[in-house]
Amino acid sequence: MKNIIENTKKIIQYKNHSFMTKLFIFSSFLVILPIISVGLISYYISSVELKEEATHYNLQVIEQVEARIEDYIRDFDLTSLKIVNSPDLINFLKLQSMYEDEDGEIRESVRELLINAQYSRPDISNITVYLDNNAQFIDLLGNKNYYPTYKMKNEYWYSTVPQNGLAILVSRTLKLKDKEVPVISLVRRLYNPETLQHVGMLIIDINFRRFNEFSNKVTPGNNGYFFILDANDHYVYHPNQSILGDKVKVSGLTKLPSETNGSILLENERKDFFTYTQSKDLGWTFFTAIPYHDLTKGTILIRQTILWTIVISLIIAYLVGYVFATGLLRPIKRLHLFMKKVEVGKLDSRVKVETNDEIGQLSVGFNNMVQKLSGLLEEVYFAKLRETEMSLRQKDIELKVLQSQINPHFLYNSLETIRGMALEIEQENIAIMSSSLGKLLRYNLRNTSTIVTLQEEMKFSEMYLQIQKFRFDSQFECEFNIPKWAKKLTVVKFTLQPLLENCFLHGFRSNSNIIKIDISVHKDTESSFIIEVRDTGVGISEEELRNILFNLKHREITDGGTSIGIVNVHQRIVKSFGSEYGIQLTNNLNGRGTVVKIRMPIIE
């Protein structure tokens, strides 16, 4: 016992030991123990963090997909309500027998209604109206559907459709001649509007085109997958389409906690980590499944990295010990000297690297740091230049943002549809109005330039006045007094129309007299001209006029509110040509009507 104590004292009292022995002892304690401790802690924390990060990421992605699918299904729910509440279908549901529709006119009108609904949505595979009382049905697939419609009554979901008129979603398969098409069916009960008795079902079959687009955005690892279960634990969506509509066989997924989202690790065919979120609106549960091995692959790599770091660190520590005594101080002093130079701003010097040990690597790192510092100073200088350039471009960007507010691309097709429908029912006025408004939109869509000629702007305004003529008939007269020399001048696009709209907005308030609108152009100076829009309406009150003039100077167009058209035109002119140009607004001296003057430069 005494010998052990003495040997321990000798190890502790190492002053007279060789430098290599000291280095070995220090390296053992200062390298091995800290690295092992840090490695174990890092491994544990990394494992937990990776799992939490995977859960958080998957939940975030699933929730995004869930929100998109909810909006997508909600849109179909509205489509089904439009069909259910249509007069044609209501008349069809009132029929007590098919003899009441011997000529088939009502049935054909319902078919046309369903065809139009299907045509408007390419992701609708089929629409079926099925009546229970006489086994009558309207199936858009017709003879292409090889699954008898009456057999739907025997499917598990038929009796679960709510009696309160709400719709449910189920997974089904359409059987065509040479293939089977998986679909999600939106099913809603149909009621006789007179007796309020249940008479049948409306089934809208939605294909998986958009669902595949949504699911492709969920990438849970290389071997993971995304799937959806309904409220009865049947597969709504799964990469393996052969099991759609089947009940899930993984028992742990059928008794999930009541929380709306979470994660669970289950031992199925393979050990999988499931992340899920529950949709209260749809009654569905969205899942991602990742093999637990893939999830922990990062921790295995961390563990190997830590082990290799320990081994390499020990080797380096022992090798450096051989030359540590003689080569340590000299490179440290040299490095310190160059640090002093960098402190006073001399960034052109570099430390001479003579060794490849830690000090040599430190010197290389120092040189890289000095080089990067020098580069950063240059980047700061060029960043200032770029900032100046960006400020010059900002006006152009803001101008395009303002222009984009009146780019109604999505309305064009709707107007063409209205025009066609009006021609079919011989409503010439509606067709002309829709055609004129369509031309206005086409002018907006096809002419992307922010600057147009005054002649083009006149044509645009004349189309707008043609539309207003249908509304106000002969209550207004408009005259263009534009000299020939002015028609080729360039103006900001959509300059006149908002001002003409202002005439109708303020001019027709409690005014039964005919309003005259006069649009004229005259030179202001040799380098500028004025467009004057004058009307004989009731005019603008002094308080409202002060508000409009204040908005022209101080309000941003993105703030919204009233007089947005005039503010829009004024700001686009200012941003295009400068603050000396723009809009002036006054009332007529005789107290009736408004005068709007637009000042712009002469640019031919």
Side-chain angles (χ1 to χ4, degrees), residues 37-53 299 302 306:
S37 301
V38 172
L40 292 174
I41 296 172
S42 300
Y43 176 77
Y44 173 77
I45 294 176
S46 300
S47 300
V48 175
E49 284 293 325
L50 281 174
K51 185 176 179 180
E52 291 180 354
E53 184 176 345
T299 60
I302 291 173
I306 292 172

Side-chain angles (χ1 to χ4, degrees), residues 398 401-403 405 551 554-572 575:
E398 293 177 357
V401 171
L402 293 173
Q403 186 67 44
Q405 293 180 351
N551 291 336
H554 302 288
R555 195 180 72 177
E556 289 294 329
I557 191 62
T558 54
D559 295 338
T562 58
S563 305
I564 188 171
I566 297 179
V567 176
N568 186 305
V569 173
H570 177 73
Q571 290 195 6
R572 287 190 289 117
K575 293 180 184 297

Side-chain angles (χ1 to χ4, degrees), residues 55 202 246 306 362 406 409 490 547 569:
T55 302
L202 170 67
D246 294 346
I306 292 172
L362 184 61
I406 44 178
H409 185 279
T490 57
N547 290 335
V569 173

Side-chain angles (χ1 to χ4, degrees), residues 187-203:
V187 186
R188 185 184 297 277
R189 288 188 183 271
L190 298 176
Y191 294 89
N192 187 315
E194 295 178 344
T195 64
L196 299 180
Q197 296 296 317
H198 165 67
V199 294
M201 294 286 186
L202 170 67
I203 302 100

Side-chain angles (χ1 to χ4, degrees), residues 83-96 100 106 110 129 131 133 189-200:
I83 295 174
V84 170
N85 294 315
S86 65
D88 294 330
L89 185 60
I90 290 174
N91 291 334
F92 185 71
L93 297 178
K94 290 179 180 179
L95 297 177
Q96 298 299 322
E100 296 179 23
I106 297 176
V110 173
V129 173
L131 299 184
N133 54 355
R189 288 188 183 271
L190 298 176
Y191 294 89
N192 187 315
E194 295 178 344
T195 64
L196 299 180
Q197 296 296 317
H198 165 67
V199 294

Side-chain angles (χ1 to χ4, degrees), residues 74-106:
R74 193 175 295 115
D75 192 24
F76 277 103
D77 192 53
L78 292 175
T79 300
S80 70
L81 288 175
K82 291 179 182 178
I83 295 174
V84 170
N85 294 315
S86 65
D88 294 330
L89 185 60
I90 290 174
N91 291 334
F92 185 71
L93 297 178
K94 290 179 180 179
L95 297 177
Q96 298 299 322
S97 68
M98 290 299 102
Y99 295 105
E100 296 179 23
D101 185 32
E102 292 181 353
D103 58 355
E105 182 179 351
I106 297 176

